Amino acid sequence: MAAARLLLAGLVLGAARGGHVPLLAWSSRSSLWPPLADGYEGHVVGEAQLGALLTPALEQGPRNVLLFLQEKLSLEDFTVYGGVFGNKPDSAFPSLESALAEAPSSLVLPAVQWVAATRVPSLLKEKLGLSPLHVEPGTLRELRLNASLPALLLVRLPYTAGSSLMALKEVLTSNDEIIGQVLSTLKEEDVPYTALLTAGRPSRVLRDISQVTAGGMGRQLLQKPTPASAQHPPVRYPLSGEPQILFWAQNFSVVQDGKWFDLTPHTFGEEASVDVRGSSWSFNNSRLVLKYTNVLGSPLTVTFHMTSQWFPVSGQYWFQLSRLELAVPSAMSTVFNASEVMAPRNYSWHCAQLSSLPAFGAQLVPRTASPSWGVLLLDVQLQGFNVTGLRFSYASDCAGFFAPGTWMGLLTALLLGAIFIAGLHMLLGLKTMDRFDDPKGPTVAVPQSE
């Protein structure tokens, strides 16, 4: 179990920042991945590197592939509930630790971009030429797997983050038991396999230590400062002179028929190959045209159409991304309406994500029923007017001022306030009696009508 604990220790030693999930892979065949000494602690694995690491195992390893896809997973789940340092006998991952210890080949990636992790099923489908088959542990024996017929099996695992730590540990322990049942079935049938465990979303998001200022929490003992991650410069138009349009995104990807393509390295940075010479700008309209020579086998043109309009109510100009267009030669363009992308003209527009996919909010609405392309932009910022220099103006964020919880609190407070005011008004409206019986005089006679 010591080897397994060392493998899981690599998860904890990795630098965890928001948007990263771990990925563990092991196989019954040896020499598929480098040893842990050449691991990836402190390194964030992107989509391209993840594909390069998994492709040799998928091409040379067993043709029976298992994908355990948990709803959410983070490094801290192994830290809190796993027997990482040998001082937690009540580990929630005994089956996983045993599988890693006994596997001839294993790969531990502490930090994988969660966007890249969500594309693992598509990568497996492409490399194996098979569609994933959703299975339950109880029905696995009925499939009668063998080494001659390839199979891609997908086992989904839940994740319930509640207020009770023990409740979450019970869920993780139950997931580990499911992993153990599936692996036991394959071992009994003597079926060679390659297994992967990852998640589509991180369960916890940690603040980057490098962003903590000296006047805040302070430095810990023997803590070394973490260098800030380098950010690529924004795309500008025109390329020379005073810029008129700026565009930036942490990740810019497109998808067609389930195949993803990362446009980020082709759009930003020193090695960018995008052509923006087809862009244009005027006082009321601006277009940012991004031309790529080869995206999924054909040239692709992405066009941001922005307009500027005067709104008398606010007394100022506002700019809006009227539509986002993706075009390939000899095919109908895919057009998305983007009515939510709006900001004052002298501001830039920023959002954590802008996508046409339902899983990411679908702020981009396609004009056709079945669009051939999909778009995903993470941490995107756009400015089409009033650009001054190479820096964005003050950003108008897409996040609403009032969250649903805030609205519920306000409505509840208003209802209770209305009840209090009504009750107070009734109390103030009470009048005391102004006529009383005098024991020395005649009684008060109230005439009664017959």
Side-chain angles (χ1 to χ4, degrees):
M1 301 294 285
R5 287 168 179 166
L6 286 175
L7 287 172
L8 289 179
L11 290 171
V12 182
L13 294 176
R17 292 196 302 171
H20 304 155
V21 298
L23 184 143
L24 293 84
W26 63 98
S27 177
S28 59
R29 182 171 298 179
S30 60
S31 303
L32 292 182
W33 293 291
L36 184 63
D38 299 329
Y40 300 89
E41 295 86 350
H43 175 69
V44 180
V45 179
E47 181 184 3
Q49 186 178 9
L50 180 61
L53 290 171
L54 296 181
T55 297
L58 298 177
E59 294 178 350
Q60 305 171 12
R63 304 298 291 174
N64 290 297
V65 178
L66 286 169
L67 174 59
F68 297 99
L69 188 60
Q70 190 162 293
E71 183 181 353
K72 296 179 181 180
L73 186 64
S74 291
L75 302 178
E76 295 69 45
D77 293 324
F78 293 98
T79 306
V80 178
Y81 304 105
V84 178
F85 298 108
N87 57 353
K88 298 178 181 179
D90 56 343
S91 171
F93 309 98
S95 299
L96 182 59
E97 292 177 359
S98 177
L100 291 172
E102 299 174 358
S105 296
S106 60
L107 175 68
V108 175
L109 302 178
V112 178
Q113 293 179 356
W114 66 269
V115 177
T118 56
R119 300 169 191 168
V120 171
S122 301
L123 175 63
L124 298 180
K125 179 180 178 181
E126 178 184 355
K127 296 299 180 181
L128 299 175
L130 300 171
S131 298
L133 177 62
H134 298 261
V135 297
E136 298 292 337
T139 60
L140 186 60
R141 298 180 184 273
E142 302 176 1
L143 297 178
R144 300 184 181 277
L145 300 176
N146 55 68
S148 59
L149 296 177
L152 175 56
L153 307 181
L154 175 60
V155 181
R156 293 192 177 274
L157 304 175
Y159 185 97
T160 304
S163 58
S164 174
L165 293 178
M166 294 304 298
L168 179 55
K169 181 180 179 180
E170 292 176 357
V171 173
L172 295 176
T173 303
S174 176
N175 293 344
D176 185 76
E177 292 176 354
I178 293 175
I179 295 176
Q181 294 175 13
V182 174
L183 298 181
S184 298
T185 302
L186 296 178
K187 188 174 181 180
E188 292 176 1
E189 298 181 0
D190 195 21
V191 177
Y193 68 91
T194 297
L196 299 93
L197 170 64
T198 188
R201 288 271 187 170
S203 59
R204 310 159 191 249
V205 178
L206 294 183
R207 179 174 53 182
D208 192 351
I209 297 177
S210 62
Q211 297 177 355
V212 179
T213 61
M217 295 176 59
R219 293 187 58 186
Q220 300 177 2
L221 183 62
L222 300 181
Q223 173 187 315
K224 295 182 179 180
T226 304
S229 58
Q231 291 185 347
H232 41 252
V235 172
R236 55 170 292 182
Y237 172 80
L239 298 177
S240 59
E242 191 71 17
Q244 296 170 331
I245 303 174
L246 293 179
F247 165 63
W248 186 90
Q250 184 68 40
N251 183 278
F252 182 21
S253 303
V254 294
V255 58
Q256 183 186 38
D257 298 331
K259 297 180 179 180
W260 285 87
F261 190 88
D262 189 0
L263 296 174
T264 309
H266 304 278
T267 309
F268 309 99
E270 299 179 355
E271 300 181 359
S273 58
V274 66
D275 184 6
V276 298
R277 290 175 295 179
S279 306
S280 61
W281 185 91
S282 65
F283 184 82
N284 294 323
N285 296 277
S286 63
R287 291 193 316 152
L288 178 61
V289 181
L290 307 177
K291 295 183 179 181
Y292 304 91
T293 57
N294 187 6
V295 176
L296 298 177
S298 63
L300 175 66
T301 302
V302 181
T303 306
F304 294 83
H305 296 268
M306 292 168 284
T307 59
S308 177
Q309 185 178 358
W310 172 264
F311 283 83
V313 177
S314 60
Q316 61 179 337
Y317 280 94
W318 286 67
F319 93 87
Q320 179 185 15
L321 178 62
S322 58
R323 65 185 187 274
L324 176 62
E325 182 178 355
L326 285 81
V328 295
S330 66
M332 184 177 296
S333 301
T334 302
V335 181
F336 300 96
N337 293 328
S339 58
E340 298 183 7
V341 182
M342 177 180 290
R345 180 186 171 96
N346 56 338
Y347 285 16
S348 63
W349 182 85
H350 173 267
C351 196
Q353 59 187 29
L354 178 64
S355 175
S356 62
L357 308 176
F360 299 93
Q363 301 95 329
L364 300 175
V365 181
R367 293 188 178 181
T368 57
S370 299
S372 57
W373 289 86
V375 185
L376 173 62
L377 296 102
L378 299 179
D379 196 12
V380 58
Q381 192 164 2
L382 180 66
Q383 186 172 359
F385 303 92
N386 283 31
V387 177
T388 304
L390 290 175
R391 299 186 63 180
F392 287 97
S393 301
Y394 182 83
S396 175
D397 202 274
C398 65
F401 183 77
F402 291 107
T406 307
W407 281 113
M408 292 297 295
L410 288 176
L411 292 177
T412 303
L414 290 175
L415 178 60
L416 294 177
I419 296 175
F420 173 77
I421 293 174
L424 182 62
H425 179 73
M426 294 175 64
L427 290 176
L428 295 177
L430 293 178
K431 295 182 179 180
T432 59
M433 295 178 61
D434 55 355
R435 299 180 63 185
F436 301 94
D437 285 338
D438 186 1
K440 298 182 179 180
T443 59
V444 177
V446 179
Q448 296 181 356
S449 60
E450 296 180 356

